[in-house]
Amino acid sequence: MDEGYLWTSTMDAPLAHCNDAGMETGLLAIIGVVFFAAGVVKGISGMGLPTFSMALLGMVMSPIAATALMVLPSLATNFSQCAGPHGRKLARHLWPMWLGLALATVFASLPDLSASTSVARITLGVVLMAYGLWGLIKPELPEFGKHTLIVGGLAGALSGLLTAATGVFVMPMVPYLQSLRLDREELIQALGLSFTVAALALTIRLGSMGVTAAEVDIGALVIAVMTALLGLAVGTRLRQRLQPRVFQRALHGVFFLLGLAMVGRSV
């Protein structure tokens, strides 16, 4: 088996990194560790699995290959977070953001994950750096009042463009959701529903690019989903022992450094 196709920075075919008689054992181990850690992050903070897994996997495989592995674990760990009593209320306020997010993700015509690996990695690195800085600085966003629906639609559309380009769906969606001053349970459910919309839209886009589940290494997918769910369970237990705010600030610092490293490797 040619090891270069797993680690090279070039990308002649979208799934050259995933589709073969089997994946290199070392890479499978990395996938398991990454998704376990990403699950722990989500269990503790209620978010971060796609961002954390893409930040690390993007260092060892092309962003499109990492995205193909990330979508299913993201959906699997989102289902419980989507449940709650606030669904109708959230839908009334967030539907413009969800619509903009879905349409922009599926139909974005800007350079996306199918672009050259260096361009995709630089874009992903910049988004990680921006998200990391935002989490460290924690700027106080204004309330948008009667313009909430319009701002939400714009935030969703921009998030969709960045989702199509990087496979990460946090900016500016997460800051916008936090600007709505939702209570804790509402915010958790809003994040779960919004991440699910983004992941489903990204799945549709990957399908339009010829990336289907049948072409992704099944063993890698199974490992990714199982370790993510295991990490989620561990993180949920740890949440009661840790200070989530301190943990999140440290995590945003890691995102910034990983983004910086990714940009530095690609320029």
Side-chain angles (χ1 to χ4, degrees), residues 161-203:
L161 293 175
L162 292 176
T163 297
T166 66
V168 171
F169 29 86
V170 289
M171 295 294 287
M173 182 172 67
V174 172
Y176 169 74
L177 288 175
Q178 293 185 337
S179 76
L180 299 179
R181 313 300 197 266
L182 302 172
D183 66 40
R184 177 177 171 78
E185 295 303 317
E186 286 180 325
L187 179 59
I188 289 175
Q189 189 174 1
L191 288 168
L193 291 168
S194 301
F195 291 156
T196 299
V197 171
L200 290 173
L202 187 57
T203 301

Side-chain angles (χ1 to χ4, degrees), residues 8-96:
T8 182
S9 61
T10 60
M11 185 176 64
D12 296 326
L15 284 175
H17 307 74
C18 295
N19 186 22
D20 196 66
M23 298 187 84
E24 184 180 280
T25 302
L27 185 53
L28 287 175
I30 291 174
I31 289 170
V33 171
V34 166
F35 279 102
F36 175 79
V40 171
V41 167
K42 184 175 179 64
I44 294 174
S45 63
M47 56 183 291
L49 185 145
T51 312
F52 190 81
S53 58
M54 286 295 296
L56 293 181
L57 290 180
M59 304 292 286
V60 297
M61 62 173 65
S62 72
I64 192 171
T67 301
L69 286 173
M70 175 274 297
V71 171
L72 190 56
S74 179
L75 286 171
T77 55
N78 272 344
F79 287 142
S80 61
Q81 194 174 342
C82 291
H86 311 291
R88 290 186 179 181
K89 175 185 175 182
L90 292 173
R92 287 197 302 269
H93 292 289
L94 299 181
W95 70 264

